[in-house]
Amino acid sequence: MDESDLVTRTADVLSTDPDAYQSAVDEEAVMLTEALAEGVFDNPQAIVGLEYEFYAVDADDASLVRVPRRLLDLIGFEKELGLHNAEMTTSPQPLSAHGLRAQESEVKARLETALSVTSTEDMRLVSDSMWTIPPAGETARGYLTESVERSVEVDGDERSLRFAANMSDSARYHAMANTDRATAAGMRIDAPHVSMEADTVMPESLITSIQPHYQVPHADDLPAYFNYALRVAGPLLALGANSPFFPPDCYDDGTTVADALADGWREHRVSVFETVLNADREEPGKVRFPADLVSTEEAVDRIAADDAVVPMPVQKHGRYDDRFAHLRRTHGTYWRWVRPVFDGVSRSAANARIEFRPIPAQPTVRDSIAFQAVFAGLMESLPRLEHPVADLEWEYARENFYGAMRDGFDAELFWITNDGHETTDVDAVFADILAYATDGLTSRGLSSTEAAAYVDPLRKRVKRRTAPADWKRDRVRELADDGATLAEAIPEMQRAYVDAQRETILEGSFADWL
């Protein structure tokens, strides 16, 4: 990374006039609302896509490693927040048997190539919610908090800027710690037995996720799909929880395995994202479980009104959605656990879709595609059949989400079944959810056998009451019973996770681990 170039680019970002930027956002929001009313964003074909994040480890001992930028270019992955991160984005495909197969085949083909290429560098890409073994010879705290100061001229004034040592060279990421709006981000981690303060947002690079996308047929109907997505967020998070532990040196002094097991949560990724990027104050933070939508216009207004944190120049590339370029830039920091997306390379390709962000990165490709398919199936069936869970009060949907974050399958999940019956019975909740996911898939032309193949990996988790977080907790508990300390048990568990994934990531599933 050319440090002087990064410093210059960050200074240029910080020179952006926030008032002029917001005026452009507001004007574009009006244009977008008009285009929505004209039906520009209606697209009758259901489309799915997937963002898939990884981190890199040493092939021998599973310690975190930095990925050379040339290697990312070579394997066709994108950079993310940390130097250890890599992200894959699939090509959108119709929601159909062929489309889902194409999604899975693309992920496997690209990942297989990436694994082959990275192996020549003695590293391996890992699909997981949170890394726990820092780079060799370093501590996790040090890796996440190390930063340097550089002096630079911004708008004619000399300023001292702070740069994270292990963050990728995106000026936007570095500007977050140096903007006048920097107080909008907490830049800390606050979880049971874990407290960390940083000068940048780099601690967020602990976590990785998958983000399924579902394109709605008619933009006016976006609120119905969005509100259903909020109601399935908690149960699907319980199914996918995968980050019950932090790197050992992130725990407060004196924390034991018993403490981490008794008080730790199943999906710490949620708390990391929220405490790093939300200010420590009472008003709602940028990362949050969003409120129900009443109209599509309200979705646009929410994005436009959100604090941009880092107003910055926009580049236009001859796309249709360039006319909303500032609004789309603001959307980049519109961090909600479920969020609407409006874009399109051309007018005919313009679309409104839902980006579903609760699910952590999963043990295998098949598990990741299972979540993509189940979410898409639910988006197909719940609105079409007017499932009564739409009447579940928002407060219960929110509590489901944070309850699943804390307790996974042990959370009290509130649900309304297809016959209108209110229940918190785990079997009843997931039987209803997975039945509707299956119905949604078969309604898109999948055979019952094809639909079952996508749903079954998650059905098996319900039957065993075991998400990946539970597998990790069981391994750490067993190691502690044999006398291991927290500092010994977590890395040993993590190596077992990487070893199990090595054998199953392309052709197996998490069910094979059980």
Side-chain angles (χ1 to χ4, degrees):
M1 175 174 63
D2 184 339
E3 183 179 293
S4 62
D5 175 64
L6 174 61
V7 172
T8 300
R9 287 187 288 112
T10 303
D12 289 343
V13 169
L14 295 172
S15 298
T16 303
D17 181 341
D19 294 329
Y21 176 91
Q22 188 58 45
S23 293
V25 169
D26 294 339
E27 291 173 5
E28 291 170 5
V30 173
M31 290 191 292
L32 176 57
T33 300
E34 292 172 349
L36 286 164
E38 293 169 5
V40 173
F41 285 78
D42 292 346
N43 196 322
Q45 185 168 225
I47 301 290
V48 294
L50 183 69
E51 297 175 61
Y52 198 152
E53 299 170 353
F54 301 83
Y55 62 77
V57 301
D58 182 272
D60 293 326
D61 65 8
S63 60
L64 198 71
V65 296
R66 299 163 178 86
V67 183
R69 303 297 91 174
R70 61 171 176 78
L71 203 59
L72 280 182
D73 294 337
L74 187 61
I75 63 177
F77 281 47
E78 302 158 25
K79 64 185 177 184
E80 248 292 335
L81 181 61
L83 293 178
H84 56 277
N85 290 128
E87 182 178 44
M88 175 199 306
T89 302
T90 64
S91 305
Q93 297 287 346
L95 176 55
S96 64
H98 292 301
L100 286 172
R101 280 198 295 270
Q103 289 280 294
E104 185 169 5
S105 294
E106 180 182 355
V107 172
K108 286 183 176 180
R110 294 177 62 187
L111 181 56
E112 184 177 40
T113 299
L115 291 171
S116 176
V117 172
T118 54
S119 69
T120 65
E121 304 276 341
D122 295 321
M123 66 175 63
R124 181 174 184 83
L125 294 181
V126 173
S127 178
D128 188 16
S129 180
M130 184 185 296
W131 56 266
T132 59
I133 307 177
E138 303 180 50
T139 65
R141 281 183 182 268
Y143 181 83
L144 294 169
T145 62
E146 181 184 356
S147 63
V148 296
E149 277 192 57
R150 294 291 182 264
S151 294
V152 65
E153 187 175 291
V154 179
D155 291 335
D157 297 324
E158 191 75 11
R159 284 186 56 182
S160 179
L161 304 184
R162 178 70 61 177
F163 293 86
N166 295 299
M167 189 182 288
S168 61
D169 63 350
S170 169
R172 182 184 72 154
Y173 293 143
H174 289 279
M176 288 180 190
N178 296 289
T179 176
D180 293 339
R181 292 168 167 79
T183 54
M187 292 185 276
R188 74 195 195 286
I189 294 176
D190 184 10
H193 302 293
V194 177
S195 52
M196 180 189 298
E197 300 287 338
D199 297 316
T200 72
V201 298
M202 181 63 188
E204 193 231 319
S205 72
L206 264 173
I207 58 177
T208 44
S209 65
I210 58 171
Q211 294 150 36
H213 287 240
Y214 174 85
Q215 178 180 299
V216 304
H218 300 286
D220 277 350
D221 296 329
L222 178 79
Y225 291 89
F226 184 89
N227 296 345
Y228 273 118
L230 295 182
R231 278 142 187 84
V232 301
L236 293 187
L237 177 58
L239 275 173
N242 194 20
S243 52
F245 298 107
F246 287 87
D249 73 88
C250 291
Y251 285 95
D252 300 332
D253 291 344
T255 303
T256 65
V257 170
D259 295 329
L261 288 171
D263 304 324
W265 299 329
R266 298 303 198 277
E267 188 53 31
H268 282 297
R269 169 180 154 266
V270 171
S271 65
V272 169
F273 199 33
E274 293 197 354
T275 57
V276 172
L277 294 175
N278 289 345
D280 188 14
R281 49 182 184 244
E282 290 188 5
E283 61 260 34
K286 287 176 63 64
V287 185
R288 64 178 184 265
F289 191 82
D292 284 335
L293 277 175
V294 174
S295 68
T296 304
E297 292 74 17
E298 182 186 18
V300 176
D301 291 342
R302 286 185 188 179
I303 297 168
D306 201 53
D307 184 356
V309 181
V310 183
M312 60 186 294
V314 299
Q315 295 180 333
K316 299 188 177 183
H317 306 283
R319 295 167 53 102
Y320 169 75
D321 53 23
D322 282 348
R323 63 195 63 198
F324 318 120
H326 293 83
L327 184 66
R328 292 180 68 229
R329 174 69 71 185
T330 293
H331 181 272
T333 58
Y334 182 71
W335 296 309
R336 304 302 191 267
W337 288 111
V338 179
R339 67 180 182 180
V341 182
F342 305 97
D343 65 17
V345 66
S346 64
R347 182 184 174 94
S348 62
N351 65 87
R353 63 183 189 272
I354 292 172
E355 180 183 354
F356 193 68
R357 301 166 63 85
I359 307 302
Q362 294 296 300
T364 75
V365 171
R366 187 171 299 168
D367 294 298
S368 300
I369 299 298
F371 274 105
Q372 180 188 32
V374 164
F375 176 67
L378 289 168
M379 290 299 95
E380 279 292 311
S381 65
L382 296 178
R384 174 173 53 86
L385 299 176
E386 299 181 347
H387 192 288
V389 80
D391 296 327
L392 183 73
E393 292 183 14
W394 176 84
E395 289 78 9
Y396 284 124
R398 181 183 184 279
E399 179 52 37
N400 281 349
F401 179 75
Y402 288 104
M405 175 202 78
R406 293 187 299 269
D407 300 318
F409 280 121
D410 292 334
E412 185 175 42
L413 299 175
F414 299 92
W415 191 254
I416 301 175
T417 60
N418 66 334
D419 60 0
H421 177 66
E422 297 180 0
T423 185
T424 58
D425 179 77
V426 173
D427 290 317
V429 170
F430 285 106
D432 196 55
I433 288 173
L434 297 181
Y436 272 75
T438 301
D439 174 85
L441 294 175
T442 55
S443 75
R444 297 297 304 180
L446 278 74
S447 69
S448 58
T449 301
E450 290 170 328
Y454 289 111
V455 175
D456 280 354
L458 304 187
R459 196 184 302 279
K460 289 175 181 176
R461 297 186 185 191
V462 178
K463 184 176 180 180
R464 298 288 294 269
R465 295 290 195 275
T466 303
D470 301 298
W471 184 93
K472 290 178 175 179
R473 285 169 57 87
D474 288 344
R475 300 290 84 69
V476 167
R477 185 181 294 108
E478 291 167 2
L479 290 162
D481 289 343
D482 290 337
T485 65
L486 189 70
E488 295 166 338
I490 291 177
E492 191 63 27
M493 172 278 295
Q494 193 68 45
R495 294 186 185 99
Y497 180 98
V498 173
D499 286 344
Q501 185 174 102
R502 195 187 308 270
E503 302 299 323
T504 55
I505 188 165
L506 293 176
E507 298 301 337
S509 77
F510 174 65
D512 299 327
W513 300 18
L514 303 179

